[in-house]
């Protein structure tokens, strides 16, 4: 029975729990309904208030005196701003909708809401100004919490743009005239616009660091005050670059006139280009620093480029003009030095033929070419700094390098032509003192003395030209090294740029080589003229005949041979050191051929006895040993054949046939030389030769 009582008790508790649960669910539903009803009541109340406020704004155009206290209570500014924005949005939407759908049936309604729109606009403007004024006051007092409160409320007006722009515009760096004047003083110092680029670079570094520090401090305030700090930073950085930085650059980068170039003494065009380079470099550094501080979504790289776009558009033209100005100035300087040196020699120098002894330093200097390359290298560094697109870089680099090619080609060609002029003057001196045979002894002695002077002038001009050629070769090698080390890597990324530049360089070098080739041929003429003079003056008719006094034959080289070999050894010493490679090989080969031909023609003026033939062979051996230093196998072979051919004067007449059998290649020249034997007629060698030829 006790168990039955317990079971009944549990049943009662179960029913009670079920009842309580049912009552709870009912209460929850009632609560939901009540909450919903309260929410609807609040919404209805807010709607009634909004309609009431809208009616107030819709009353009289321009009358804001009868508005509810809410709209004039400074403690409820945030609420007033929120409500005003809601009313304005609703009214503008309604006016816009009715203005499109029905211009007649809703005319009255639209006109009424238009009054509300106008009044709300006026109120919002007034409220925004009040908030900005409060924001300014708080800003001056550094009350960040008040500033943040105002900024938050102002963010409801056009997303806070006016507040952000107002804050940035009122920064001291944008409105303080003293700061702006100090900026340019920091950059230029006491030198003003004539300050050198390194001083300007240092000044910009100092100024830009101060600007970056200022922006960094402002960023701290902006992060604490504004709901959208990134947008404010974007406006601030843009204003810094467009106003403060641009104001400095406008005073720094004054573009010269290409029609009237600034004097080189005042820096010339190069000064502008150097300032442009350092300003661009430092501004880029500043842009990167500002980006690291924060600049929102601002395209700071594009903005920085836009500041310099006008300068970059005309950069190549200015760079070319600057390189031309530098070249012209250098040439004027060298001409002035040459004139001064010429005047310092005076009449004494001219009497001694100073015009023929033009110093090669006046004509060609590797140092000058090095200076050309240094100008170009500096220009290329500016080009690669200002431009980054490979195609643009390659195009500009090629055009700048073309300026160097023109400079080097022109300078070396003019120098070689100047050196050739001294060769021409020496040739004119030789021609001036050619005399006939029927002259007095005194005239002949004077002519001989003049010929010696002409020979000395020729030798001096030969040396000068060889030194000029040597310096040309060094200059071209330096140019080619510069191309390989600096220019090539900038052109290779762009198809066709490198081969085109190689063609340009090849054309420039070929012009120099053509001028050098002309001079080298004149050098050979100069040498051969002196060889012919020595042969004419020193070679005696008795050199190749038997002594009349019965003395033993002289087997030493003739005096003419000794003098000529000594002359060639002396004059060609500079050629051996000045010329290299194919230039040296072709020059010595041509000289060897001319020497061989000249000697052949010369010896045909003499008759030879057997002892004279031996002496001739001694001369040929002497000449052959000298030309062996040419390292030209074809020349060595010709002089070896000359030695063999000299045997026609030594062997007995009946042995001549054996000479042709051994070396048939000398037959033609040997037949001419046989006629120079002193026994040609007495030994009846002519008939003997006829029988040889018939065989």
């Amino acid at each position: 029975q006790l168990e039955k009582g317990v079971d009944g008790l549990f049943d009662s508790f179960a029913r009670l729990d079920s009842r309580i649960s049912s009552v709870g669910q009912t209460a929850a539903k009632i609560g939901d309904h009540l909450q919903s009803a309260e929410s609807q009541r609040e919404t209805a109340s807010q709607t009634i208030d909004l309609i009431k406020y809208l009616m107030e704004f819709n009353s009289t155009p321009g009358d804001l005196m009868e508005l509810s206290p809410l709209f004039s209570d400074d403690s409820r500014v945030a609420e007033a701003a929120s409500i005003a924005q809601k009313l304005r949005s609703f009214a503008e939407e309604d006016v816009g909708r009715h203005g499109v759908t029905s211009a007649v049936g809703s005319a009255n309604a639209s006109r009424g809401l238009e009054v509300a729109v106008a009044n709300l606009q006026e109120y919002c403007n007034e409220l925004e100004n009040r908030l900005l004024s409060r924001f300014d006051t708080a800003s001056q007092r550094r009350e960040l919490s008040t500033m943040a409160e105002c900024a938050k409320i102002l963010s409801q007006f056009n997303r806070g743009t006016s507040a952000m722009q107002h804050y940035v515009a009122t920064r001291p760096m944008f409105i303080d005239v003293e700061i702006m004047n100090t900026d340019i003083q920091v950059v230029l110092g006491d030198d003003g616009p004539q300050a050198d680029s390194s001083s300007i670079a240092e000044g910009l570094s100092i100024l830009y660091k101060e600007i970056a520090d200022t922006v960094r401090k402002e960023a701290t305030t902006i992060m604490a005050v504004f709901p959208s700090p990134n947008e404010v930073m974007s406006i601030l950085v843009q204003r810094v670059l467009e106003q403060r930085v641009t104001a400095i650059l406008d005073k720094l980068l004054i573009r010269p006139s290409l029609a009237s170039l600034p004097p080189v003494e005042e820096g010339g065009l190069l000064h502008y280009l150097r300032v442009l380079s350092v300003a661009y470099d430092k501004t880029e550094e500043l842009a990167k620093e500002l980006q690291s501080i924060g600049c929102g979504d601002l395209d700071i790289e594009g903005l920085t480029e836009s500041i310099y776009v006008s300068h970059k558009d005309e950069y190549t033209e200015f760079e070319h003009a600057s390189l031309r100005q530098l070249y012209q100035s250098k040439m004027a300087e060298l001409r002035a030095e040459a004139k001064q040196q010429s005047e310092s020699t005076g009449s004494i120098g001219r009497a001694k033929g100073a015009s023929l002894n033009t110093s090669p330093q006046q004509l060609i200097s590797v140092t000058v070419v090095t200076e050309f390359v240094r100008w170009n290298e500096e220009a290329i560094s500016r080009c690669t700094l200002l431009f980054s697109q490979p195609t643009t870089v390659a195009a500009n680099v090629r055009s700048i390098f073309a300026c160097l090619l023109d400079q080097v080609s022109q300078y070396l060609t003019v120098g070689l032509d100047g050196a050739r002029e001294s060769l021409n003057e020496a040739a004119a001196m030789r021609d001036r003192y050619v005399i006939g045979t029927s002259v007095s002894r005194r005239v002949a002695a004077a002519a001989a003395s003049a010929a010696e002077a002409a020979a000395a002038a020729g030798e001096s001009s030969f040396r000068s030209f060889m030194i000029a050629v040597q310096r040309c070769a060094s200059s071209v090698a330096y140019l080619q090294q510069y191309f390989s080390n600096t220019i090539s890597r900038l052109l290779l990324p762009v198809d066709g740029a490198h081969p085109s530049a190689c063609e340009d360089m090849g054309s420039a070098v070929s012009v120099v080589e053509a001028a050098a080739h002309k001079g080298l041929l004149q050098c050979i003429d100069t040498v051969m003229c002196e060889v012919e003079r020595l042969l004419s003056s020193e070679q005696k008719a008795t050199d190749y005949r038997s002594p009349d006094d019965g003395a033993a034959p002289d087997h030493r080289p003739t005096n003419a041979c000794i003098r000529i070999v000594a002359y060639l050894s002396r004059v060609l010493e500079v050629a051996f050191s000045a010329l290299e490679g194919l230039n040296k090989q072709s020059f010595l080969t041509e000289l060897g051929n001319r020497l061989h031909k000249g000697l052949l023609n010369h010896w045909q003026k003499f008759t030879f006895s057997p002892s004279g033939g031996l002496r001739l062979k001694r001369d040929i051996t002497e000449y052959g040993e000298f030309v062996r230093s040419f390292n030209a196998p074809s020349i060595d072979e010709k002089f070896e054949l000359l030695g063999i051919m000299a045997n026609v004067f030594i062997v007995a007449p009946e042995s001549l046939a054996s000479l042709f059998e051994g070396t048939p290649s000398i037959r033609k020249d040997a037949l001419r030389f046989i006629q120079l034997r002193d026994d040609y007629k007495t030994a009846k060698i002519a008939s003997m030769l006829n029988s040889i030829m018939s065989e």
Side-chain angles (χ1 to χ4, degrees):
Q1 193 170 358
L2 181 60
E3 290 179 358
K4 289 181 180 180
V6 172
D7 290 339
L9 186 59
F10 276 115
D11 290 339
S12 298
F13 275 119
R15 286 193 297 274
L16 179 60
D17 182 64
S18 177
R19 291 281 303 277
I20 291 172
S21 177
S22 176
V23 170
Q25 290 176 358
T26 302
K29 289 179 181 179
I30 293 172
D32 289 341
H33 284 300
L34 289 174
Q35 186 176 3
S36 177
E38 178 62 20
S39 176
Q40 291 174 3
R41 187 192 66 78
E42 287 181 4
T43 301
S45 176
Q46 291 175 2
T47 302
I48 291 170
D49 289 341
L50 287 174
I51 293 172
K52 171 190 169 186
Y53 297 144
L54 183 60
M55 294 298 290
E56 291 176 4
F57 278 102
N58 196 38
S59 58
T60 306
D63 183 11
L64 303 179
M65 302 299 296
E66 301 299 328
L67 297 178
S68 298
L70 165 67
F71 297 103
S72 57
D73 187 350
D74 284 348
S75 63
R76 301 176 66 189
V77 172
E79 183 182 354
S82 177
I83 290 174
Q85 286 298 325
K86 288 179 181 178
L87 293 176
R88 183 179 169 187
S89 176
F90 171 77
E92 287 177 349
E93 182 181 351
D94 183 76
V95 168
R97 184 173 60 251
H98 283 82
V100 173
T101 58
S102 177
V104 179
S106 302
N108 293 333
S110 295
R111 189 177 300 113
L113 291 180
E114 287 174 354
V115 171
V117 168
N119 286 338
L120 282 165
Q121 180 65 53
E122 183 179 350
Y123 172 76
C124 287
N125 290 342
E126 186 273 333
L127 180 59
E128 190 173 13
N129 289 334
R130 263 196 296 149
L131 287 168
L132 288 173
S133 177
R134 186 187 298 181
F135 182 89
D136 280 345
T137 303
S139 177
Q140 293 171 7
R141 298 173 180 173
R142 296 294 297 167
E143 296 174 353
L144 298 184
S145 59
T146 303
M147 291 172 66
E149 180 184 351
C150 292
K152 184 177 181 181
I153 298 171
L154 284 166
S155 66
Q156 299 182 52
F157 297 93
N158 194 23
R159 298 178 61 247
T161 301
S162 61
M164 293 185 284
Q165 291 177 340
H166 180 78
Y167 174 79
V168 171
T170 55
R171 296 307 86 206
M173 69 171 127
F174 301 129
I175 59 176
D176 192 329
V177 176
E178 185 177 347
I179 289 178
M180 290 185 281
N181 291 336
T182 303
D183 285 352
I184 199 65
Q185 177 64 28
V186 168
V187 175
L188 295 179
D190 297 331
D191 295 330
Q194 295 306 315
D196 61 77
S197 57
S198 59
S199 298
I200 290 174
E202 184 178 352
L204 282 173
S205 295
I206 295 170
L207 177 62
Y208 284 172
K209 182 180 184 302
E210 184 269 320
I211 290 176
D213 290 343
T214 302
V215 171
R216 191 175 286 106
K217 291 177 183 177
E218 292 292 349
T220 304
T221 301
I222 289 169
M223 296 297 290
V225 168
F226 288 94
S228 303
N230 286 340
E231 294 182 30
V232 187
M233 288 301 297
S234 176
I235 297 171
L236 175 64
V237 171
Q238 183 174 354
R239 187 74 175 262
V240 165
L241 291 173
E242 290 182 343
Q243 180 176 327
R244 193 170 180 188
V245 171
T246 300
I248 299 163
L249 296 178
D250 286 345
K251 293 182 180 179
L252 273 182
L253 302 176
I254 301 173
R255 246 191 311 267
S257 169
L258 291 177
S260 178
L261 303 182
V264 174
E265 296 75 16
E266 297 177 8
L269 286 176
L270 184 60
H271 176 70
Y272 161 73
L273 290 168
R274 283 176 171 172
V275 173
L276 172 63
S277 176
V278 298
Y280 184 85
D281 187 35
K282 296 301 178 183
T283 305
E284 273 205 326
E285 290 179 7
L286 173 64
K288 291 176 182 176
E289 181 68 16
L290 294 177
Q291 192 166 31
S292 69
I293 296 171
C295 58
D297 296 331
L298 178 67
D299 179 11
I300 193 167
E301 184 177 343
L303 181 57
T304 305
E305 288 296 312
S306 69
I307 295 174
Y308 288 91
V309 66
S310 62
H311 296 279
K312 291 173 69 173
D313 285 345
E314 298 179 355
Y315 159 75
T316 307
E317 188 177 358
F318 273 86
E319 196 70 83
H320 289 176
S322 172
L323 290 170
R324 285 194 298 270
Q325 184 184 39
L326 289 170
Y327 179 79
Q328 291 164 2
S329 174
K330 188 64 180 179
M331 293 303 100
E333 177 189 330
L334 293 175
R335 284 193 295 270
E337 289 177 359
K339 182 179 179 181
Q340 184 178 3
Q341 183 174 348
S342 176
E343 291 174 351
S344 67
T345 60
S347 58
I348 297 175
R350 285 192 294 273
K352 293 183 178 180
S355 62
L356 294 173
N357 296 315
T358 304
S359 170
Q361 288 87 345
Q362 294 177 13
L363 301 175
I364 292 175
S365 168
V366 180
T367 304
V368 173
V369 174
T370 303
E371 193 170 358
F372 295 164
V373 173
R374 182 174 55 78
W375 297 340
N376 202 264
E377 196 168 19
E378 182 181 335
I380 293 296
S381 68
R382 278 191 291 271
C383 174
T384 54
L385 172 67
L386 294 171
F387 302 96
S388 57
Q389 289 293 332
T391 305
T392 306
V393 170
N396 288 336
V397 164
R398 186 184 170 194
S399 68
I400 293 171
F401 181 64
C403 291
L404 175 62
L405 293 178
D406 290 341
Q407 291 173 352
V408 172
S409 175
Q410 184 177 347
Y411 173 69
L412 296 182
T413 303
V414 169
L416 289 170
D417 288 344
R420 283 177 53 217
E421 187 58 33
S422 65
L423 290 169
N424 292 333
E425 290 181 17
M429 285 183 68
R430 289 194 302 270
D431 296 340
R432 197 177 303 136
Y433 297 111
V434 174
I435 61 174
T437 55
S438 301
V439 294
S440 66
R441 188 174 298 177
R442 185 173 59 82
V443 172
S449 176
E452 289 284 352
E459 186 172 339
S460 175
S461 61
F462 178 94
R463 291 177 182 276
S464 294
F465 190 84
M466 285 298 169
I467 292 174
V469 170
Q470 184 179 33
R471 293 179 178 181
C472 264
S474 299
S475 298
V476 170
Y478 189 75
L479 174 69
Q480 292 170 333
Q481 182 182 16
Y482 169 66
F483 177 79
S484 299
N485 295 344
T486 303
I487 304 299
S488 292
R489 62 182 178 81
L490 299 172
L491 300 179
L492 286 171
V494 179
D495 290 342
H498 187 268
S500 298
C502 288
E503 290 179 10
D504 295 342
M505 185 164 62
S507 299
V509 171
S510 67
V511 172
V512 178
E513 287 178 340
H517 181 68
K518 288 181 182 178
L520 289 173
L521 291 179
Q522 287 181 258
C523 284
I524 292 175
D525 291 340
T526 299
V527 170
M528 288 308 302
C529 283
E530 178 60 10
V531 167
E532 289 168 4
R533 188 188 74 83
L534 291 172
L535 287 172
S536 176
S537 62
E538 301 295 331
Q539 195 84 72
K540 308 302 180 187
T542 57
D543 284 346
Y544 300 120
R545 294 179 185 173
S546 299
D548 294 335
D549 57 3
D554 190 349
H555 296 297
R556 294 174 302 175
T558 63
N559 191 51
C561 175
I562 293 171
R563 289 283 303 276
I564 289 170
V565 170
Y567 165 74
L568 290 175
S569 299
R570 183 176 68 251
V571 79
L572 291 182
E573 183 180 356
V574 66
F576 283 126
S577 61
L579 301 178
E580 296 178 350
L582 293 177
N583 287 333
K584 183 176 182 179
Q585 181 181 350
S586 61
F587 174 81
L588 293 176
T589 300
E590 178 64 19
L591 178 60
N593 285 325
R594 291 278 299 274
L595 179 62
H596 175 267
K597 183 178 179 181
L599 290 172
L600 276 177
N601 292 335
H602 168 70
W603 286 325
Q604 290 186 50
K605 301 173 184 176
F606 299 86
T607 56
F608 298 84
S609 67
S611 61
L614 288 172
R615 200 169 190 195
L616 172 64
K617 193 161 186 175
R618 183 71 180 85
D619 281 357
I620 292 173
T621 301
E622 197 73 14
Y623 289 126
E625 288 179 356
F626 174 74
V627 298
R628 199 168 290 119
S629 63
F630 291 8
N631 289 323
S634 62
I635 303 302
D636 292 342
E637 183 181 357
K638 285 187 175 185
F639 277 86
E640 287 173 6
L641 292 176
L642 271 182
I644 297 172
M645 191 170 59
N647 290 330
V648 301
F649 303 121
I650 302 171
V651 300
E654 58 271 15
S655 301
L656 288 173
S658 62
L659 292 178
F660 299 124
E661 293 173 1
T663 51
S665 59
I666 66 170
R667 178 183 294 247
K668 182 178 179 181
D669 288 329
L671 288 174
R672 285 189 297 143
F673 269 68
I674 289 174
Q675 299 177 37
L676 303 176
R677 287 175 61 116
D678 60 358
D679 62 348
Y680 181 73
K681 292 181 179 179
T682 57
K684 299 180 180 180
I685 294 176
S687 58
M688 194 181 304
L689 288 177
N690 289 332
S691 63
I692 293 173
M693 296 303 295
S694 62
E695 294 176 3

